[in-house]
Amino acid sequence: MATKRISDAVIRRLPRYYRYLNALEAQGVESISSQELGTRMGVTASQIRQDINCFGALGQQGYGYNVSELKQYIAGVLGLDRRYRVVIVGAGKIGQAVAAYPTFRQQGMDVSALFDIDEKLVGKSLPSGAPVLHASLLPQYLKEHPCRVGVVATPGAVAQESADILMAGGVKAIWNFAPVDLKVPAPVVVNNVHLTDSLYVLLYMLKEKDMELGVVDEVE
Amino acid sequence: MATKRISDAVIRRLPRYYRYLNALEAQGVESISSQELGTRMGVTASQIRQDINCFGALGQQGYGYNVSELKQYIAGVLGLDRRYRVVIVGAGKIGQAVAAYPTFRQQGMDVSALFDIDEKLVGKSLPSGAPVLHASLLPQYLKEHPCRVGVVATPGAVAQESADILMAGGVKAIWNFAPVDLKVPAPVVVNNVHLTDSLYVLLYMLKEKDMELGVVDEVE
């Protein structure tokens, strides 16, 4: 699919479009106007039209957008129409949550194995069927089962080392849950889910709101 | 603590400062120049000085910043110097991961209970000691144990309903892991961890990189 280069701001909004279109399709909605989609998403109709224009999809003047077509189009832009074999480093709660995440599989992500050093976890199979293997086996595993996507769900202290092993084994995209910023060379892409950062922002918002409303700093 | 209103862009950067200062303190580093901190964080020294000025902390010209003081100061700005009683709705993998997250407890978040409708989970106690109670008990629980922070870790279809019960029970800040945008009235704050959105952005980055490098779209 040929698309023009899309700005980062629009890219960050695309997943949200995809989520809404997915939900609309599930509800049996066949077509939707930019006005109605904007109302649901809490943005203006003009923003919707501008974004959708920007990534090159065609609106049908007067008829609105065909929900399934637009969803498929965005899936193509995002690369959700491909399948990816995935390994997860770290089989703790977060690694397991990612392995079990239903959307993950629906979006073409096949988790082939998890890796950990915890002997209580190694040798288990998760409900998804993916085995937990010892972390020392990861380099050999990647030689035998090339994977393009790797998840880092380890403690911060070993996250960079884990990423280095993934990259040495040919992984090209890293989804990082460790609370550190990974150093990756230019041909590799990384996206972070920094849970602590998100929590800190929430607590800050709460504190600001308290100050605004004159709530006394309570000890609970 | 009196601070001037800080721009959203700086707020989004603050947690990252906090993470780096935390790591530096753990490594025994006592003071650091804006130059050195900038190098570690991958931003310019001038950006560092500007941000730290902006939230009102004092740099010491020629001596750099005292790591522990600056960390404590940022903790105060973010509201990390308070304790919060927390309930989690949804005791699946993600709810459990949040309950077990070590940083959560360190940052003053006491998870007092999780709520679920899954009979296999209800009645259990997690390793952290927090019990899993039936979701129908949530309104009464909040009356008896006022909580200001709630985590929504349910499927998308029941996320809004869960948030509504939390808010009716007095919760003021919601950390949302469900893949929907919650509607909350103005006095309540919400911050989302949309895992699917983050994954979609990663896959898009990978696809873009493939196109840039001329990698053929592989079926794995």
Side-chain angles (χ1 to χ4, degrees):
Chain A
M1 183 186 309
T3 48
K4 47 185 167 173
R5 188 74 175 81
I6 302 172
S7 78
D8 280 355
V10 177
I11 295 306
R12 300 265 155 200
R13 287 200 289 272
L14 272 185
R16 199 158 169 259
Y17 280 105
Y18 186 79
R19 259 197 290 123
Y20 275 83
L21 292 165
N22 213 11
L24 285 165
E25 191 184 50
Q27 288 160 27
V29 177
E30 289 180 10
S31 80
I32 192 161
S33 65
S34 49
Q35 188 68 53
E36 168 69 14
L37 186 56
T39 303
R40 288 184 185 238
M41 293 182 64
V43 299
T44 64
S46 124
Q47 169 86 78
I48 299 271
R49 285 193 297 269
Q50 199 178 320
D51 280 353
I52 293 179
N53 257 335
C54 176
F55 56 78
L58 294 172
Q60 295 159 282
Q61 197 68 39
Y63 296 91
Y65 302 103
N66 178 302
V67 169
S68 297
E69 270 179 35
L70 187 54
K71 182 193 135 180
Q72 276 315 311
Y73 192 88
I74 294 180
V77 173
L78 287 170
L80 305 183
D81 51 357
R82 312 200 284 179
R83 293 206 75 79
Y84 303 88
R85 191 190 289 146
V86 180
V87 285
I88 300 177
V89 190
K93 287 280 192 306
I94 292 180
Q96 289 187 33
V98 171
Y101 209 57
T103 320
F104 208 59
R105 178 169 289 271
Q106 286 156 26
Q107 296 316 332
M109 315 291 285
D110 297 317
V111 175
S112 63
L114 296 87
F115 293 84
D116 209 296
I117 53 166
D118 183 345
E119 295 293 349
K120 287 194 297 294
L121 294 169
V122 172
K124 281 194 173 177
S125 273
L126 299 183
S128 63
V132 182
L133 306 176
H134 196 278
S136 61
L137 300 176
L138 179 55
Q140 187 61 33
Y141 185 90
L142 289 170
K143 271 188 206 158
E144 291 163 11
H145 310 82
C147 294
R148 303 192 70 225
V149 177
V151 178
V152 173
T154 66
V158 294
Q160 183 65 52
E161 183 190 338
S162 304
D164 291 343
I165 295 170
L166 288 171
M167 292 185 289
V171 164
K172 298 298 180 203
I174 294 177
W175 202 20
N176 175 39
F177 286 77
V180 296
D181 299 319
L182 298 176
K183 290 181 189 64
V184 305
V188 176
V189 295
V190 62
N191 203 17
N192 298 303
V193 180
H194 282 326
L195 291 181
T196 48
D197 290 19
S198 165
L199 174 64
Y200 297 163
V201 168
L202 178 72
L203 296 181
Y204 177 79
M205 291 161 76
L206 177 60
K207 202 198 76 166
E208 280 290 285
K209 189 63 79 172
D210 283 353
M211 286 164 70
E212 190 186 314
L213 299 174
V215 175
V216 178
D217 195 350
E218 304 162 40
V219 177
E220 286 169 346
Chain B
M1 181 186 309
T3 47
K4 47 184 169 173
R5 188 73 175 81
I6 301 171
S7 78
D8 281 355
V10 177
I11 294 305
R12 299 265 153 199
R13 286 201 289 272
L14 272 185
R16 197 157 171 261
Y17 279 104
Y18 186 79
R19 259 197 290 123
Y20 275 83
L21 291 165
N22 214 9
L24 286 166
E25 192 184 50
Q27 287 160 28
V29 177
E30 289 180 8
S31 80
I32 193 160
S33 66
S34 49
Q35 187 68 53
E36 168 69 13
L37 185 56
T39 304
R40 288 186 184 236
M41 293 181 64
V43 298
T44 64
S46 125
Q47 169 85 77
I48 299 271
R49 284 192 298 269
Q50 198 179 320
D51 280 353
I52 292 179
N53 258 336
C54 175
F55 55 79
L58 295 169
Q60 293 158 284
Q61 196 67 40
Y63 296 91
Y65 301 103
N66 178 301
V67 169
S68 297
E69 270 178 36
L70 187 55
K71 182 195 136 178
Q72 276 315 310
Y73 191 88
I74 294 180
V77 174
L78 287 170
L80 306 183
D81 50 357
R82 310 199 286 178
R83 294 205 73 81
Y84 303 89
R85 192 190 288 143
V86 181
V87 284
I88 300 176
V89 190
K93 287 281 193 304
I94 291 181
Q96 289 188 34
V98 171
Y101 207 57
T103 320
F104 208 58
R105 178 168 289 270
Q106 287 156 26
Q107 296 316 331
M109 314 292 285
D110 298 316
V111 175
S112 62
L114 295 89
F115 293 85
D116 210 295
I117 53 165
D118 183 344
E119 296 292 350
K120 288 195 296 294
L121 294 169
V122 171
K124 280 197 175 177
S125 273
L126 298 183
S128 64
V132 181
L133 307 176
H134 196 279
S136 61
L137 301 176
L138 179 55
Q140 187 60 33
Y141 185 90
L142 289 171
K143 272 187 203 158
E144 291 162 11
H145 309 81
C147 293
R148 302 192 70 227
V149 177
V151 178
V152 173
T154 66
V158 293
Q160 184 65 51
E161 183 190 340
S162 304
D164 291 343
I165 296 171
L166 288 171
M167 293 185 287
V171 164
K172 298 298 181 204
I174 295 178
W175 202 19
N176 174 38
F177 286 79
V180 296
D181 299 319
L182 298 177
K183 289 180 188 65
V184 305
V188 176
V189 295
V190 62
N191 203 16
N192 298 303
V193 180
H194 283 326
L195 291 180
T196 47
D197 291 18
S198 165
L199 174 64
Y200 296 164
V201 168
L202 178 72
L203 297 182
Y204 177 79
M205 291 160 75
L206 177 60
K207 202 197 77 167
E208 280 291 284
K209 189 63 79 172
D210 283 354
M211 285 163 70
E212 190 186 315
L213 299 175
V215 175
V216 179
D217 196 347
E218 303 164 39
V219 177
E220 285 170 346

